Amino acid sequence: MKLFCPFTKVEKQEDGTLYVEGVASSEARDADGEIITAEAMQKAIPGFLRADGTGPVREMHALKAAGKTVEVWIDKAKRTRVSAVVVDSEAVKKVETGVYQGFSVGGKALARDAADPTVITELKWVELSLVDRGSNPDAVISLWKAEAMPETKPQRPFVQLASL
């Protein structure tokens, strides 16, 4: 499953890091024809967050730390929204230049809707990645910079989620 979430806000911080906001998941159907429910994401948030309340941010689902998630919430439109701090200098440059254009959630589908196996109803959320391209048809990017600031197909080990 591949879902893409574009950044909705990017702010350069005085220390060279970036504050980034965007959608981590929506109930949009992805390029593989799958949907992850907002309820599934809501249940997955506590397992994603570490004891300090942050979650890991990686690059392209690789085992390379790029920063940390500082806030996660579900909005009224049933989108899972996140704010994160990007600290890795290479990742910062890739966000600033538009190479990385959004978020993708890495995890594993644990349960699917019995009536429609394309709908994921439970998942284990492992990481959030900065990505260059996703497969959500609704994905468009808008950046603001501030001054000073079980279906028959095999399941993949990681689920990538996204949004508008």
Side-chain angles (χ1 to χ4, degrees):
M1 160 173 229
K2 296 175 184 170
L3 276 170
F4 171 71
C5 318
F7 302 133
T8 55
K9 186 175 191 178
V10 176
E11 294 177 348
K12 182 88 171 180
Q13 304 299 299
E14 289 183 21
D15 63 0
T17 63
L18 290 179
Y19 172 84
V20 183
E21 267 187 24
V23 178
S25 179
S26 75
E27 292 187 336
R29 192 168 295 276
D30 70 8
D32 291 332
E34 295 178 312
I35 295 171
I36 294 141
T37 66
E39 292 79 16
M41 289 301 298
Q42 181 70 49
K43 289 189 293 188
I45 292 171
F48 168 66
L49 298 175
R50 299 179 286 222
D52 67 355
T54 67
V57 174
R58 297 181 181 164
E59 293 183 67
M60 302 293 294
H61 299 288
L63 294 176
K64 181 179 180 188
K68 64 183 179 179
T69 304
V70 294
E71 189 174 7
V72 181
W73 69 98
I74 309 292
D75 69 15
K76 291 180 181 181
K78 295 186 172 184
R79 296 174 299 194
T80 304
R81 302 187 58 86
V82 297
S83 59
V85 177
V86 181
V87 300
D88 180 80
S89 60
E90 290 178 27
V92 166
K93 185 174 181 179
K94 289 176 184 177
V95 172
E96 289 178 324
T97 59
V99 173
Y100 292 153
Q101 298 182 358
F103 291 120
S104 181
V105 175
K108 180 177 178 160
L110 300 176
R112 295 174 180 268
D113 186 299
D116 183 354
T118 67
V119 177
I120 296 171
T121 58
E122 186 177 349
L123 71 139
K124 180 178 182 179
W125 185 4
V126 178
E127 52 88 14
L128 181 70
S129 278
L130 304 168
V131 295
D132 60 353
R133 182 172 183 235
S135 63
N136 186 307
D138 297 327
V140 291
I141 184 165
S142 215
L143 298 178
W144 300 295
K145 292 191 179 187
E147 294 178 21
M149 276 256 12
E151 189 174 333
T152 54
K153 62 183 166 183
Q155 290 187 15
R156 298 185 180 124
F158 283 94
V159 176
Q160 297 175 12
L161 317 176
S163 182
L164 310 174

